[in-house]
Amino acid sequence: MSGVWVYVEHSGGEISTVSREALGAGRKAADGLGQPLTALVFGHDVAEAAKSAFSYGADAVLGADDETLADVRIEAHGELLTKLVTDRTPAVVMAGGTNNGRDVLAWAAAGLDAGMVVDGIDIDVDGDTVKVTRPVYAAKLLATAFVTEGTQFMTLRSRALPAAEATDNSGEAEWVEAAMAEDDIRTKIVGYESAEGKISLTDANIIVSGGRGVGGPEGFEPIQELAAALGGAVGASRAAVDSGWIPYEHQVGQTGKTVSPDLYIACGISGAIQHQAGMRTSKVIVAINKDPEAPIFKIAQYGIVGDLFEVAPALTKLFKERLD
Amino acid sequence: MNVVVCTKQTPSTTAVYEVKDGVVSWEDPGGKPLVVNPWDEYAIEEAIRVAENHGADKAIALTYGASEATEVLKTCLAMGCKEAVLVSDEAFAGSDAVATARILAAAVNKLDDVQLLVFGKQAIDGDTGLTPVMVARKLGWTPITYVSAIKEIGDGQITVERVRGNGKETVTAPLPAVISVVKEINEPRYPSFMGIRKAGKAKIPTWTASDLEVDGPVGGDASKADWSNVFTMPAREGSVEMIEGETVEEKASQLVDKLFEEKVI
Ligand SMILES: Cc1cc2nc3c(=O)[nH]c(=O)nc-3n(C[C@H](O)[C@H](O)[C@H](O)COP(=O)(O)OP(=O)(O)OC[C@H]3O[C@@H](n4cnc5c(N)ncnc54)[C@H](O)[C@@H]3O)c2cc1C
Ligand SMILES: Nc1ncnc2c1ncn2[C@@H]1O[C@H](COP(=O)(O)O)[C@@H](O)[C@H]1O
């Protein structure tokens, strides 16, 4: 069993940030094990993405270019992965911790009766084993998790590890056939509606979040303005979402999205444990709250006790000046 | 046809954890340490709605866990599921995601005429989100994850809307299928008073290893994923720097300086 594989997600020839992070982690694992790093690039019209995978440090690329693989369908991508792992027995298969990455690897791992661990925020090579550190119990605890035998399947939490940088590395991809014909793939995608243009919370470098303290839907205006000045996304606590002030897709926390931006600014959020579960792995946390006793200050790096309706606009003004 | 909801009992969201010699325990300040996995409430509701609105004969609740897990099945019955089954055996303890999928798949195979399995998107203890796809693979059924709306069920087909990246994808697939659902799919109902009384009296069968034909090994020894080394998060606490200043502008300006120094802007 040898080789570290990274299942790469891409669109329009570009490799996604999470997959670049996975390639970075894959490099670390491959070097630690003394084995080559192979990128798996499945899709349709993927020549560019395959090239790009080399530039992000892959020693080899296993590509599959077929219409049936154009959109990620669990069966089509998962069966191909299953077949390749059966034939070539890699030591490690990694992916970014996206819905697709987790689903495709889970399908293959179940088919192969292999072990799988998810959501690594760090990895470490110990002998032949790649160990991941991961949050468990709603990110209230950490665990070291690993696969004890056979091919080691794993996913990495997005934004936890540094993305591989582009280099001038290049190479020739090896091309393989799809594993399933269209007639055998049961899921058919009949429509797609994108919410283009919005910065997705999980990808954002900077998130400005509002809670019950914003007081109403219009209270999100200063939050939005601060986020816009910083090129960031808008988050919210469940209390704000449940009050109907902002749609659910903005909710951060245990029953919302899990985020780890470089900067998380919590405005008018008390910092309930369920909210913390979704944001405590952020690199720098700033809390703005009227109440000096609010629990959010316990996990923040910087705190301002004050009215968010004064502090947020003051920050927006300064950031606009400094970033111009 | 019948629809089955798979649900897990988990610690409550307010649980406070302690790790001692690698053993995790928790207490709940609210006094309800074990609950229905919060993500599964949407799955239970959706299974009941499939019976109510899409012509399924009944919704059946299935959980694998310790004997206390009958409590979550009672909640399912109180909400409107017509049957419930607990799968429980010492021999299963310590199963990883693949072994859990084998156990659940075997239990589903023992039930009559199941065409649809409904899962939550993940359990808040292990937080893996692997079970739905792995069960689908073990059963050989169509996997459809992160479903935000069921549009239609009929003629042996299911059509759903699911979350994909930043958008929504519409997918059709033949039954039998396995779906996992997200929060926006519905608003779970509260159990009715009558429902709670009925559930209290219900006899819930327990299936053990000998009742099931599990295809492959189960339990801790058969599991290839090890997560036994659990520890507490390094504290972030106590490290906050409160920004002081005479005016709001002064505080804001100090904070902006710090954030530039941190290189997070
Ligand atoms: C099963 C379950 C799951 C949950 N999942 C989540 C989840 O995913 N995400 C989540 O966020 N929550 C979740 N919660 C809810 C969570 O417990 C809290 O209820 C919620 O996070 C509180 O939101 P908040 O901080 O906005 O409100 P509050 O706790 O009411 O806090 C508002 C804060 O704003 C401050 N404030 C008020 N006005 C101003 C002002 N003008 N300027 C500055 N500060 C001001 C106040 O001092 C207060 O500290 C969940 C709860 C349960 C039971
Ligand atoms: N022991 C179990 N019994 C029944 N259903 C389960 C069990 N574990 C997980 N599930 C289901 O699988 C989903 C995903 O769980 P997990 O893969 O553990 O994160 C949950 O939301 C449940 O619907």
Side-chain angles (χ1 to χ4, degrees):
Chain A
M1 224 165 293
S2 173
V4 173
W5 289 8
V6 173
Y7 171 82
V8 164
E9 293 179 71
H10 50 87
S11 89
E14 301 251 354
I15 294 193
S16 73
T17 311
V18 246
S19 292
R20 283 172 45 212
E21 291 161 8
L23 283 166
R27 183 79 266 163
K28 182 174 167 189
D31 291 348
L33 295 167
Q35 296 173 7
L37 173 65
T38 300
L40 306 178
V41 182
F42 303 167
H44 188 40
D45 290 333
V46 293
E48 274 309 306
K51 253 193 222 159
S52 181
F54 278 111
S55 87
Y56 290 118
D59 301 310
V61 170
L62 261 178
D65 200 328
D66 197 282
E67 252 175 78
T68 57
L69 299 169
D71 291 307
V72 177
R73 285 178 290 176
I74 299 172
E75 293 169 280
H77 280 232
E79 280 302 309
L80 177 56
L81 178 58
T82 308
K83 181 171 186 302
L84 290 171
V85 172
T86 308
D87 294 347
R88 303 173 189 226
T89 60
V92 176
V93 179
M94 282 185 184
T98 59
N99 293 350
N100 284 339
R102 185 173 39 230
D103 286 353
V104 169
L105 266 59
W107 184 266
L112 295 158
D113 289 314
M116 177 160 173
V117 295
V118 296
D119 212 18
I121 56 172
D122 201 4
I123 65 158
D124 210 12
V125 177
D126 181 2
D128 294 333
T129 307
V130 178
K131 296 192 165 170
V132 311
T133 306
R134 60 164 307 226
V136 289
Y137 294 98
K140 291 171 194 165
L141 300 173
L142 288 175
T144 313
F146 59 96
V147 174
T148 54
E149 63 174 281
T151 297
Q152 306 165 44
F153 284 79
M154 60 192 70
T155 64
L156 304 162
R157 178 175 283 205
S158 99
R159 301 194 44 78
L161 291 157
E165 299 286 342
T167 64
D168 52 13
N169 184 45
S170 65
E172 284 295 322
E174 178 188 345
W175 297 99
V176 297
E177 300 277 312
M180 292 177 88
E182 185 57 48
D183 285 349
D184 299 326
I185 304 169
R186 290 169 292 185
T187 32
K188 306 289 176 199
I189 298 170
V190 293
Y192 182 66
E193 220 176 290
S194 79
E196 230 39 89
K198 274 194 235 159
I199 305 170
S200 98
L201 264 187
T202 38
D203 293 339
N205 291 321
I206 297 179
I207 294 174
V208 185
S209 278
R212 197 176 345 247
V214 308
E218 57 300 327
F220 271 95
E221 273 164 33
I223 307 290
Q224 242 130 20
E225 282 158 17
L226 179 54
L230 290 165
V234 173
S237 74
R238 170 166 165 175
V241 171
D242 283 355
S243 305
W245 301 343
I246 186 162
Y248 168 67
E249 67 208 51
H250 293 273
Q251 185 177 320
V252 170
Q254 187 154 12
T255 50
K257 297 214 163 70
T258 303
V259 299
S260 3
D262 294 336
L263 175 60
Y264 188 92
I265 306 182
C267 305
I269 289 181
S270 62
I273 195 141
Q274 297 95 342
H275 190 76
Q276 289 187 22
M279 46 68 78
R280 63 179 298 156
T281 54
S282 304
K283 292 200 182 76
V284 173
I285 296 170
V286 172
I288 300 166
N289 197 305
K290 283 206 283 211
D291 173 9
E293 302 299 322
I296 189 79
F297 287 122
K298 292 221 172 94
I299 61 158
Q301 190 154 342
Y302 299 108
I304 293 185
V305 177
D307 187 342
L308 74 93
F309 292 104
E310 293 172 12
V311 180
L315 288 171
T316 305
K317 184 161 168 281
L318 288 167
F319 280 124
K320 274 194 180 151
E321 286 166 16
R322 298 272 300 259
L323 292 167
D324 231 1
Chain B
M1 81 168 221
N2 294 315
V3 50
V4 170
V5 54
C6 288
T7 173
K8 186 177 190 182
Q9 189 176 44
T10 61
S12 79
T13 60
T14 43
V16 180
Y17 291 86
E18 194 183 48
V19 189
K20 230 183 183 163
D21 303 322
V23 178
V24 180
S25 61
W26 63 91
E27 270 179 42
D28 182 50
K32 204 165 182 291
L34 289 167
V35 297
V36 173
N37 174 34
W39 295 112
D40 295 350
E41 292 176 15
Y42 309 95
I44 299 165
E45 174 67 30
E46 201 58 26
I48 296 168
R49 290 191 190 185
V50 168
E52 288 171 348
N53 309 333
H54 293 285
D57 298 319
K58 58 180 182 261
I60 305 171
L62 176 64
T63 193
Y64 146 54
S67 57
E68 305 92 272
T70 42
E71 284 306 313
V72 311
L73 295 173
K74 286 195 176 145
T75 305
C76 296
L77 292 172
M79 283 174 74
C81 290
K82 293 285 183 279
E83 279 175 33
V85 178
L86 173 69
V87 174
S88 192
D89 197 311
E90 286 283 314
F92 294 153
S95 290
D96 67 357
V98 184
T100 300
R102 281 187 203 112
I103 296 165
L104 290 173
V108 171
N109 278 331
K110 197 177 154 85
L111 292 165
D112 273 338
D113 190 27
V114 180
Q115 291 292 314
L116 185 66
L117 280 185
V118 187
F119 283 79
K121 80 164 199 163
Q122 69 189 50
I124 65 160
D125 47 6
D127 270 332
T128 68
L130 296 174
T131 312
V133 170
M134 288 188 164
V135 170
R137 177 64 187 78
K138 286 297 172 201
L139 289 166
W141 294 9
T142 322
I144 315 175
T145 48
Y146 309 104
V147 170
S148 50
I150 294 181
K151 300 253 186 202
E152 210 184 314
I153 298 176
D155 292 334
Q157 291 277 128
I158 180 167
T159 304
V160 304
E161 181 188 85
R162 69 184 288 269
V163 177
R164 179 175 115 198
N166 242 351
K168 295 278 164 64
E169 182 176 80
T170 307
V171 174
T172 66
L175 298 171
V178 174
I179 65 172
S180 74
V181 303
V182 295
K183 176 175 170 163
E184 59 186 288
I185 195 165
N186 60 40
E187 193 72 56
R189 71 193 68 188
Y190 290 101
S192 66
F193 178 68
M194 281 299 288
I196 294 169
R197 280 195 37 183
K198 246 166 109 182
K201 285 189 247 148
K203 278 218 159 25
I204 296 175
T206 300
W207 292 349
T208 62
S210 60
D211 297 311
L212 300 177
E213 285 171 37
V214 184
D215 182 16
V218 288
D221 292 343
S223 294
K224 293 178 182 165
D226 183 311
W227 62 94
S228 53
N229 180 21
V230 180
F231 47 96
T232 41
M233 281 258 178
R236 276 193 98 114
E237 307 194 2
S239 57
V240 64
E241 181 179 338
M242 299 306 283
I243 312 276
E244 311 288 347
E246 291 293 309
T247 63
V248 170
E249 285 69 28
E250 213 178 296
K251 291 187 204 173
S253 152
Q254 280 192 51
L255 176 63
V256 170
D257 287 341
K258 305 247 183 223
L259 294 176
F260 274 101
E261 275 166 41
E262 292 268 4
K263 298 202 169 50
V264 289
I265 308 280

